[in-house]
Every structure is written in structure tokens, then in C-alpha cells.
Amino acid sequence: MLEFFRNGGFSMYPVLVFGLLTLGAAIHFAMRADKKVRNFIEPMYKVVVFSSVTGLLTDLATVCGYLESHELGAKFATTCAEGLKESLGPVIMGSSFLVLTFLFVAIGQRRLDARLATA
């Protein structure tokens, strides 16, 4: 797991921070079912998406820069494949955070709907 994080490069840090913040808010929403927390989660999941995409694009640009500046010969395909694999790290981690976030939002929304129906 640590190697996965390291391979993703610096762009993994914003994804981690924003992902944890969004997931924490979603867990809080699932436990409390507070509409104000839900209003915070909605723009934050977009932050996670865009930080993941930015990380992917930054990593791809780094790989392309490396491929352009080095004469790799027979190792080109292997280097390209490894670079692309490592570049997907931010999107994989961001997507994982979003899956868990939406799971907890669904639980919180169910609880909020049930509470509003009885009020």
C-alpha cells in the first residue's frame, strides 16, 4: 500500500487529504443525518474528483516528459506501461474514497428521509 502511494507521486497527498475530509464528513452525516453536513459533502466530492484527475494528468505529463527525454529503445513499451500504471494511483485512490463516501451518504440520506417522514 505504501508503495502504491509512493508510485502515485506528490499528487496523492491532495487526494488523500480531501478524500479523508470528505469521507469523514460522510461518516458524520451517516451518524447524525444533518442536512448541513450533506451540503458540505456535495462540493467536496467534486474536489476529490478534480484532485484525482489533476493527479492523473500531472503523472501522465511526467511520464511523457520522461519518455521524450530518454532514448529507451527496446525498453520503451515496458517503461510506458509501468509509467501509465503508476499514473493511475490518484484516480484509484480518489475513486475508492468516493465509493465509501457515497455509501455513507446513502445511509445518512436514508436516516434523514426516515426522520423527516416521521416529523
Side-chain angles (χ1 to χ4, degrees):
M1 184 67 170
L2 188 58
E3 185 176 340
F4 169 76
F5 189 86
R6 214 172 326 164
N7 287 343
F10 178 78
S11 58
M12 296 290 272
Y13 289 101
V15 176
L16 177 66
V17 170
F18 296 136
L20 286 173
L21 184 62
T22 305
L23 181 59
I27 292 170
H28 179 74
F29 177 66
M31 293 171 34
R32 306 275 182 188
D34 183 6
K35 183 91 170 123
K36 292 178 187 175
V37 177
R38 171 76 191 258
N39 292 337
F40 173 76
I41 294 168
E42 291 190 23
M44 283 306 295
Y45 84 76
K46 294 174 186 170
V47 172
V48 174
V49 168
F50 287 117
S51 64
S52 299
V53 171
T54 301
L56 170 67
L57 295 175
T58 302
D59 289 352
L60 288 176
T62 302
V63 170
C64 290
Y66 181 85
L67 294 173
E68 180 182 54
S69 64
H70 291 77
E71 185 62 39
L72 299 171
K75 291 188 173 186
F76 179 81
T78 305
T79 304
C80 188
E82 185 176 345
L84 292 175
K85 177 188 79 166
E86 292 176 1
S87 297
L88 293 174
V91 175
I92 293 168
M93 188 168 66
S95 299
S96 299
F97 276 120
L98 292 176
V99 165
L100 293 172
T101 295
F102 290 132
L103 173 66
F104 286 110
V105 167
I107 293 168
Q109 189 63 49
R110 174 68 181 104
R111 293 185 69 221
L112 181 63
D113 291 345
R115 188 174 67 201
L116 294 176
T118 61

